[in-house]
Coordinates of all heavy atoms in Angstrom, one line a residue:
A15 N -17.1 -23.6 -49.6 CA -15.7 -23.8 -49.5 C -15.0 -22.4 -49.6 O -15.4 -21.7 -50.5 CB -15.1 -24.7 -50.5
S16 N -14.1 -22.1 -48.7 CA -13.3 -20.9 -48.7 C -11.9 -21.1 -49.1 O -11.3 -22.1 -48.6 CB -13.4 -20.2 -47.4 OG -12.8 -21.0 -46.4
V17 N -11.3 -20.3 -50.0 CA -10.0 -20.5 -50.5 C -9.2 -19.3 -50.3 O -9.6 -18.2 -50.7 CB -10.0 -20.9 -52.0 CG1 -8.6 -21.0 -52.6 CG2 -10.9 -22.1 -52.3
A18 N -8.0 -19.5 -49.7 CA -7.1 -18.3 -49.5 C -6.0 -18.5 -50.5 O -5.1 -19.3 -50.2 CB -6.6 -18.3 -48.0
A19 N -6.0 -17.8 -51.6 CA -5.0 -18.0 -52.6 C -3.9 -17.0 -52.4 O -4.0 -16.0 -51.8 CB -5.7 -17.7 -54.0
S20 N -2.7 -17.4 -52.9 CA -1.5 -16.5 -52.8 C -1.6 -15.4 -53.8 O -2.4 -15.4 -54.8 CB -0.3 -17.3 -53.1 OG -0.3 -17.8 -54.5
P21 N -0.8 -14.3 -53.6 CA -0.9 -13.1 -54.6 C -0.5 -13.6 -56.0 O -1.0 -13.1 -57.0 CB 0.1 -12.1 -54.0 CG 0.2 -12.5 -52.5 CD 0.0 -13.9 -52.4
A22 N 0.5 -14.5 -56.0 CA 0.9 -15.0 -57.4 C -0.2 -15.7 -58.1 O -0.4 -15.5 -59.3 CB 2.1 -16.0 -57.2
A23 N -1.0 -16.5 -57.4 CA -2.2 -17.1 -58.0 C -3.2 -16.1 -58.5 O -3.8 -16.3 -59.5 CB -2.8 -18.1 -57.0
A24 N -3.4 -15.1 -57.7 CA -4.4 -14.0 -58.1 C -3.9 -13.3 -59.3 O -4.7 -13.0 -60.2 CB -4.6 -13.0 -56.9
Q25 N -2.6 -13.0 -59.4 CA -2.1 -12.4 -60.6 C -2.2 -13.3 -61.8 O -2.4 -12.8 -62.9 CB -0.6 -12.0 -60.4 CG -0.5 -10.8 -59.4 CD 1.0 -10.5 -59.1 OE1 1.9 -11.1 -59.7 NE2 1.2 -9.6 -58.2
A26 N -2.0 -14.6 -61.6 CA -2.1 -15.5 -62.8 C -3.5 -15.8 -63.2 O -3.7 -16.4 -64.2 CB -1.5 -16.9 -62.4
G27 N -4.5 -15.2 -62.5 CA -5.9 -15.4 -63.0 C -6.5 -16.6 -62.5 O -7.5 -17.1 -63.2
E28 N -6.0 -17.3 -61.5 CA -6.6 -18.5 -61.0 C -7.9 -18.2 -60.2 O -8.0 -17.2 -59.5 CB -5.6 -19.3 -60.1 CG -4.3 -19.8 -60.8 CD -3.4 -20.5 -59.9 OE1 -3.7 -20.5 -58.7 OE2 -2.3 -21.0 -60.4
P29 N -8.9 -19.1 -60.3 CA -10.1 -18.9 -59.6 C -9.9 -19.0 -58.1 O -9.2 -19.8 -57.6 CB -11.0 -20.0 -60.1 CG -10.1 -21.1 -60.6 CD -8.9 -20.4 -61.1
T30 N -10.6 -18.1 -57.4 CA -10.6 -18.1 -55.9 C -12.0 -18.2 -55.4 O -12.9 -18.1 -56.1 CB -9.9 -16.8 -55.4 OG1 -10.6 -15.7 -55.9 CG2 -8.5 -16.7 -55.9
G31 N -12.0 -18.5 -54.1 CA -13.3 -18.6 -53.4 C -14.1 -19.8 -53.8 O -13.7 -20.8 -54.1
A32 N -15.5 -19.6 -53.9 CA -16.4 -20.6 -54.2 C -16.2 -21.2 -55.6 O -16.4 -22.3 -55.9 CB -17.8 -20.2 -54.1
G33 N -15.7 -20.3 -56.6 CA -15.4 -20.7 -57.9 C -14.3 -21.8 -58.0 O -14.4 -22.7 -58.7
A34 N -13.2 -21.6 -57.1 CA -12.2 -22.6 -57.1 C -12.7 -23.9 -56.5 O -12.3 -25.0 -56.9 CB -11.0 -22.0 -56.3
G35 N -13.6 -23.8 -55.5 CA -14.1 -25.0 -54.9 C -14.9 -25.8 -55.9 O -14.9 -27.0 -56.0
A36 N -15.7 -25.1 -56.7 CA -16.5 -25.7 -57.7 C -15.7 -26.4 -58.8 O -15.9 -27.5 -59.3 CB -17.5 -24.7 -58.4
A37 N -14.6 -25.6 -59.2 CA -13.7 -26.2 -60.2 C -13.0 -27.4 -59.7 O -12.8 -28.4 -60.4 CB -12.6 -25.1 -60.6
A38 N -12.6 -27.4 -58.4 CA -11.9 -28.6 -57.8 C -12.9 -29.7 -57.8 O -12.5 -30.9 -58.0 CB -11.4 -28.2 -56.4
G39 N -14.2 -29.4 -57.4 CA -15.2 -30.5 -57.4 C -15.4 -31.1 -58.7 O -15.5 -32.4 -58.9
S40 N -15.5 -30.3 -59.8 CA -15.7 -30.8 -61.1 C -14.5 -31.6 -61.6 O -14.6 -32.6 -62.3 CB -16.0 -29.7 -62.1 OG -14.9 -28.8 -62.2
A41 N -13.3 -31.2 -61.2 CA -12.1 -31.9 -61.6 C -12.0 -33.3 -60.9 O -11.6 -34.3 -61.5 CB -10.8 -31.1 -61.3
A42 N -12.4 -33.3 -59.7 CA -12.4 -34.6 -58.9 C -13.5 -35.5 -59.5 O -13.2 -36.7 -59.7 CB -12.7 -34.3 -57.5

């Protein structure tokens, strides 16, 4: 899974890329 995060999300320290996909999968 590829994630295109906004600059605000990057500054807030949110996970991007495969890490965000894995986090979303675990949350689901």
